[in-house]
């Protein structure tokens, strides 16, 4: 039996083992996206494939609740030295898009498997229709690169060269893929050694009991947090700017229910499975880690001492209807699921913000744009494909401080690559990489500033992918009187006669001398900006975070020639109206929801749920096309009537949909 002291000692051993794995991978990986940006995970799993140990300071933070049991069971006859792998999102729903290659290794002791080591790396490219394999425009998973169902990659310590040849034949940068995969195998071997060292130190039975105690303790911590929140039900909705090249918003809806030490997250009312790659392949798992990433952040915010493992997921049940954007069926494309997951986290944050408003921040930027460049290096004549830097925005204003600038909250794990390294590896020239003025939402606690980056290319036909472009229309929201944040943007050749705004386009072809400028969104503000201390506003202006104009308009602080005009400031603040409502969404969303009311979306959801899955996205698109000069429930009903008359091939909706439309 573990007491609290012994359990903490054991937890520290586990964390040290996981961090040794992470250091092994980071220091031996080949691609900048793994070794610098750190888009990877490593973990320790129990015999059932439940994660019980992850590093705290290295790698992605999405997977502490990942369960590997489904893919483990798809491979037979494990032997010492074996390593299995998959990158197929529809084989066990552990991998969630093709570039994420997941590996796992059994750890044997006394002839039996006592644990597993595992992890993933985001490969620079897995083939498919576009460089880096990811674009919102892709509509079928077969366009997103080569997929491998769960199988052995290493047999008793020997790589399967046939599998490696198949992979390297189908990807654009085989050396990077092989280098990163072999680095991950090295990390799994490190984890195996560390687990066996723990078994030698504590004994096999104590080790096995300790693993289960860690899971149980994390569960108890999660339940204690839920008990500290009042029982109730809260709804929240947020939108991705565009559901596909059709450019209609993608709606995510959450009904959060907390009762005692349990919680249900019901995503009914979210958009149907999309004809783009924004779908999230959860397989309907009620505790799929991708559906619960936002929950991990909330739990850690409310108790920074929680253990991060699968035990955290036990008090939660997710409902994601089959055929929805959060539970698609094959062959739906899923490569850009990270964009939808960012909005999914915003939805979870918004629901919990209503439950415990005094303890949670405003919305983070919610878009982590990953920029890849495929070009020719004129110095060597080689083709180069590499990630140049993530463009991520600030965190939302906190209950006790401003939001983190540049890379805050749920995107903070994505590290920036020093531009000197990028310019060495990729023939581009950085013109700017820094913080964007006036991008954080105004508030008593200001939202974190956005990141902006501009670079020039030198070779013809340079292909750019900028995945996860979002928040160019729907702003990150402010809370408790705080203002919504600045929007993201992407433009070509700013300040010239060849200027072109690209919006949320995620692929482009650049020619010699072209300049691409990308800006993320900022974080939402928290609290009434008129209550922000004048000296803080003046300091923000001095640092270049806030312009003189924004200080006056947003905060009521008048600055003339670098000095605060105290009389004018007092006068301006005395007549400022107090903000109303829990959320500030900005004028764009308010205008959109004047047309697309809750009643209109309720009817749309009912109609689409009554159709076969493969008709739903088509029907949604056609209804949206017919909503010009229409609004609300009656507008949707009239639009759907036109769709049914035009497309008589469309099956009759099921009973609920038929009744709703009549």
């Amino acid at each position: 039996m573990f007491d609290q002291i012994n359990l903490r000692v054991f937890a520290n051993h586990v964390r040290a083992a996981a961090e040794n794995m992470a250091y092994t991978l980071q220091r031996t990986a080949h691609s900048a996206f793994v070794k610098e940006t750190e888009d990877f995970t490593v973990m320790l799993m129990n015999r059932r494939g439940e994660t019980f140990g992850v590093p705290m300071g290295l790698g992605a933070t999405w997977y502490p609740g990942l369960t590997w049991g489904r893919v483990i069971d798809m491979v037979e006859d494990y032997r010492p030295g074996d390593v299995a792998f998959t990158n197929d999102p529809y084989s066990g729903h552990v991998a969630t898009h093709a570039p994420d290659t997941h590996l796992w290794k059994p750890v044997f002791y006394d002839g039996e498997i006592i644990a597993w080591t595992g992890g993933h790396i985001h490969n620079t490219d897995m083939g498919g229709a576009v460089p880096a394999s990811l674009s919102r425009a892709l509509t079928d998973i077969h366009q997103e690169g080569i997929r491998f169902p769960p199988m052995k990659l290493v047999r008793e310590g020997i790589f399967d060269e046939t599998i490696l040849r198949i992979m390297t034949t189908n990807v654009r940068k085989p050396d990077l893929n092989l280098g990163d995969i072999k680095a991950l195998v090295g990390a799994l071997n490190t984890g195996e050694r560390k687990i066996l060292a723990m078994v030698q130190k504590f004994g096999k039975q104590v080790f096995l009991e300790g693993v289960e105690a860690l899971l149980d303790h994390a569960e108890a911590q999660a339940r204690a947090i839920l008990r500290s929140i009042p029982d109730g039900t809260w709804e929240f909705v947020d939108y991705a700017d565009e559901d596909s090249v059709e450019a209609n918003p993608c709606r995510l809806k959450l009904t959060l229910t907390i009762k005692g030490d349990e919680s249900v997250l019901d995503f009914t009312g979210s958009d149907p499975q999309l004809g783009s790659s924004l779908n999230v392949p959860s397989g309907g798992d009620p505790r799929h880690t991708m559906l619960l990433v936002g929950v991990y952040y909330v739990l850690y915010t409310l108790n920074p001492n929680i253990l991060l493992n699968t035990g955290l997921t036990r008090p939660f049940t997710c409902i994601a209807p089959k055929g929805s954007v959060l539970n698609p069926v094959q062959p739906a494309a899923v490569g850009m699921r990270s964009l939808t997951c960012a909005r999914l986290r915003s939805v979870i944050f918004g629901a919990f913000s209503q439950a415990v408003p005094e303890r949670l921040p405003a919305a983070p930027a919610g878009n982590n744009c990953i920029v890849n460049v495929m070009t020719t290096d004129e110095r060597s004549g080689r083709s180069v494909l590499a990630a140049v830097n993530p463009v991520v925005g600030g965190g939302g204003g906190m209950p006790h401080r401003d939001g983190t600038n540049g890379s805050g909250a749920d995107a903070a794990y994505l590290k920036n690559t020093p531009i000197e390294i990028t310019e060495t590896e990729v023939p581009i020239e950085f013109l700017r990489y820094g913080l964007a003025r006036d991008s954080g939402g105004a508030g008593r606690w200001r939202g974190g500033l956005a990141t902006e980056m501009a670079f020039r290319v030198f070779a013809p036909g340079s292909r750019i992918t900028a995945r996860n472009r979002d928040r160019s229309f729907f702003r990150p929201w402010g809370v408790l009187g705080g203002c919504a944040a600045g929007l993201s943007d992407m433009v070509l050749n700013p300040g010239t006669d060849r200027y072109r705004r690209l919006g949320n386009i995620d692929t482009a072809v650049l020619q010699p001398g072209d300049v691409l400028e990308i800006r993320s969104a900022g974080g939402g503000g928290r609290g009434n900006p008129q209550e922000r201390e004048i000296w803080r506003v003046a300091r923000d202006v001095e640092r270049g975070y806030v312009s003189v104009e924004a200080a006056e308009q947003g905060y009521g602080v008048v600055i003339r020639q670098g000095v605060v005009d105290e009389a004018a400031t007092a006068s301006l603040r005395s007549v400022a109206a107090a903000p109303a409502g829990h959320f500030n969404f900005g004028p764009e969303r308010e205008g959109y929801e004047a047309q697309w009311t809750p009643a209109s979306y309720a009817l749309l959801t009912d109609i689409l749920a009554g159709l076969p899955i493969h008709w739903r996205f088509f029907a949604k698109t056609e209804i949206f096309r017919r909503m010009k000069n229409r609004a609300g429930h009656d507008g949707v009903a009239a639009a759907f009537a036109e769709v049914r008359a035009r497309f008589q091939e469309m099956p009759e909706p099921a009973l609920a949909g038929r009744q709703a439309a009549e």
Side-chain angles (χ1 to χ4, degrees):
M1 190 72 177
F2 280 79
D3 59 27
Q4 290 298 308
I5 294 176
N6 288 334
L7 186 63
R8 176 53 62 183
V9 169
F10 186 73
N12 289 342
H13 277 272
V14 168
R15 175 179 171 180
E19 291 184 347
N20 269 269
M21 295 173 66
Y23 281 120
T24 299
L25 175 53
Q26 183 197 33
R27 292 172 177 174
T28 58
H30 285 216
S31 72
F33 200 55
V34 174
K35 66 186 178 184
E36 296 289 345
T37 307
E38 297 184 19
D39 193 344
F40 68 80
T41 58
V42 291
M43 56 200 65
L44 309 176
M45 297 96 75
N46 66 7
R47 289 188 283 196
R48 300 184 300 276
E50 298 169 335
T51 300
F52 69 86
V54 296
M56 294 294 291
L58 292 167
T61 53
W62 290 13
Y63 300 108
L66 186 60
T67 297
W68 296 68
R70 290 184 295 269
V71 293
I72 288 173
D73 292 344
M74 292 180 181
V75 178
E76 298 179 347
D77 190 26
Y78 289 99
R79 299 184 180 184
D82 287 351
V83 177
F85 86 120
T86 186
N87 72 323
D88 180 19
Y90 289 109
S91 293
H93 298 93
V94 169
T96 51
H97 62 182
D100 281 0
T101 302
H102 290 250
L103 280 67
W104 61 97
K105 181 178 186 178
V107 179
F108 283 83
Y109 184 81
D110 283 345
E112 65 171 326
I113 296 174
I114 60 168
W116 303 81
T117 61
H120 95 279
I121 46 100
H122 182 106
N123 284 300
T124 301
D125 180 88
M126 286 301 289
V130 298
S133 308
L134 302 175
S135 170
R136 183 193 60 190
L138 303 183
T139 60
D140 186 300
I141 195 167
H142 300 97
Q143 300 169 324
E144 296 183 325
I146 187 169
R147 292 178 292 147
F148 296 88
M151 62 180 68
K152 290 185 182 180
L153 176 65
V154 180
R155 297 176 181 272
E156 299 182 79
I158 306 298
F159 276 92
D160 188 320
E161 294 296 332
T162 300
I163 293 175
L164 295 181
R165 284 200 303 273
I166 293 171
M167 179 184 292
T168 55
T169 301
N170 285 278
V171 304
R172 292 176 175 85
K173 289 298 166 186
D175 291 346
L176 294 181
N177 286 43
L178 289 184
D180 288 347
I181 286 173
K182 291 182 177 180
L184 180 52
V185 171
L188 302 192
N189 292 340
T190 296
E192 178 186 35
R193 291 195 300 272
K194 296 298 180 180
I195 286 176
L196 293 176
M198 282 189 280
V199 172
Q200 290 292 333
K201 181 178 182 65
F202 299 112
K204 173 185 169 183
Q205 192 58 38
V206 172
F207 170 80
L208 295 174
E209 291 175 0
V211 167
E212 298 306 313
L214 291 178
L215 297 173
D216 292 342
H217 186 65
E219 177 186 359
Q221 289 179 310
R223 292 189 184 278
I225 293 171
L226 288 174
R227 286 194 298 271
S228 74
I229 300 173
D231 287 358
T233 298
W234 301 270
E235 291 188 353
F236 193 75
V237 170
D238 211 339
Y239 306 87
D241 292 342
E242 300 173 1
D243 62 2
S244 66
V245 294
E246 300 292 342
N248 297 314
C250 171
R251 181 186 194 241
L252 297 182
K253 180 184 178 183
L254 169 62
T255 301
L256 171 69
T257 300
I258 296 176
K259 186 175 182 180
D261 63 358
E262 294 186 344
S263 177
V264 175
L265 291 83
D266 187 351
F267 296 103
T268 302
S270 298
D271 261 9
Q273 176 175 315
L274 303 177
S276 70
S277 64
L278 271 64
N279 301 292
V280 179
S282 69
D285 182 345
R287 295 178 181 84
H288 196 284
T289 194
M290 297 298 278
L291 300 179
L292 290 172
V293 175
V295 170
Y296 305 151
Y297 283 103
V298 170
L299 295 176
Y300 196 80
T301 299
L302 298 178
N303 179 6
N305 296 314
I306 60 171
L307 296 179
L308 297 177
N309 63 48
T310 305
L312 293 177
T313 69
R314 293 173 179 171
F316 298 92
T317 301
C318 297
I319 299 171
K322 185 176 182 180
S324 71
V325 65
L326 300 180
N327 183 13
V329 299
Q330 287 199 72
V334 298
M336 293 279 285
R337 90 300 190 246
S338 51
L339 188 157
T340 309
C341 287
R343 201 55 51 248
L344 177 60
R345 297 193 295 275
S346 299
V347 169
I348 291 172
F349 297 159
F352 274 96
S353 174
Q354 296 170 78
V356 280
E358 73 284 358
R359 300 171 68 186
L360 291 178
N367 68 310
N368 50 339
C369 180
I370 310 298
V371 183
N372 290 272
V373 177
M374 185 173 184
T375 187
T376 301
D377 190 340
E378 302 294 343
R379 299 167 294 191
S380 63
R382 295 185 305 110
S383 174
V384 176
L385 172 60
V388 298
N389 247 319
V391 182
V392 295
M398 300 288 287
H400 58 286
R401 65 170 177 83
D402 293 341
T404 303
N405 290 329
S407 181
D410 55 338
Y413 72 91
L414 287 171
K415 312 297 193 299
N416 69 300
T417 303
I419 60 174
E420 296 84 359
I421 292 177
T422 301
E423 288 182 338
T424 299
E425 295 190 353
V426 187
I428 61 175
E429 178 188 8
F430 278 91
L431 305 178
R432 173 161 173 74
Y433 186 50
L435 301 175
R437 180 183 294 177
D438 291 338
S439 55
R444 166 66 180 84
W445 296 111
R446 176 180 45 76
L449 300 184
T451 300
E452 56 185 2
M453 177 176 75
F455 62 87
R456 178 183 288 118
V457 303
F458 298 98
S462 297
R463 299 185 66 184
I464 309 298
T465 61
R467 65 182 173 99
N468 299 335
R469 287 279 307 126
D470 197 33
R471 289 301 201 194
S472 65
F473 183 79
F474 293 103
R475 298 173 184 267
W477 32 268
V479 297
L480 302 176
C483 296
L487 294 168
S488 70
D489 203 2
M490 182 164 71
V491 299
L492 185 63
N493 296 316
T496 72
D497 57 4
R498 295 177 295 137
Y499 167 88
R500 181 157 61 98
R501 189 177 182 189
L502 301 179
N504 285 330
I505 291 173
D506 58 13
T507 61
V509 179
L510 275 58
Q511 304 303 339
D514 280 347
V515 173
L516 186 69
E517 182 178 273
I518 305 173
R519 185 176 70 245
S520 72
R526 188 181 195 279
N528 187 349
Q530 303 294 320
E531 297 176 1
R532 184 169 176 82
E533 296 94 329
I534 293 173
W535 68 266
R536 291 187 190 274
V537 178
R539 186 180 63 180
D540 283 348
V541 171
E542 182 181 358
R543 290 176 171 178
Y545 294 170
V546 175
S547 66
V548 170
E549 295 76 15
E552 182 170 340
Q553 295 170 9
Y555 294 93
V557 176
V558 180
I559 298 178
R560 295 192 173 98
Q561 298 181 341
V563 178
V564 174
D565 186 326
E566 295 185 5
T569 296
S571 175
L572 188 58
R573 285 191 160 190
S574 68
V575 297
H582 185 89
F583 295 105
N584 178 280
F585 295 113
E588 298 84 359
R589 174 166 169 172
E590 291 172 1
Y592 176 78
E593 290 185 335
Q595 178 187 27
W596 282 95
T597 63
S600 64
Y601 261 113
L603 175 57
L604 179 67
T605 298
D606 197 35
I607 291 170
L608 299 181
L611 293 171
I613 291 172
H614 67 284
W615 276 95
R616 294 176 185 174
F617 178 68
F618 174 82
K620 176 200 169 183
T621 302
E622 292 298 322
I623 290 171
F624 265 76
R625 285 175 177 163
R626 289 163 174 79
M627 283 294 289
K628 186 176 182 180
N629 299 322
R630 288 173 170 156
H633 178 283
D634 292 346
V636 172
F640 183 58
E642 289 185 7
V643 172
R644 291 179 66 184
R646 169 64 179 82
F647 300 102
Q648 297 183 13
E649 306 91 336
M650 181 181 294
E652 282 288 319
L655 180 61
R658 232 181 16 251
Q659 289 177 335
E662 291 175 352

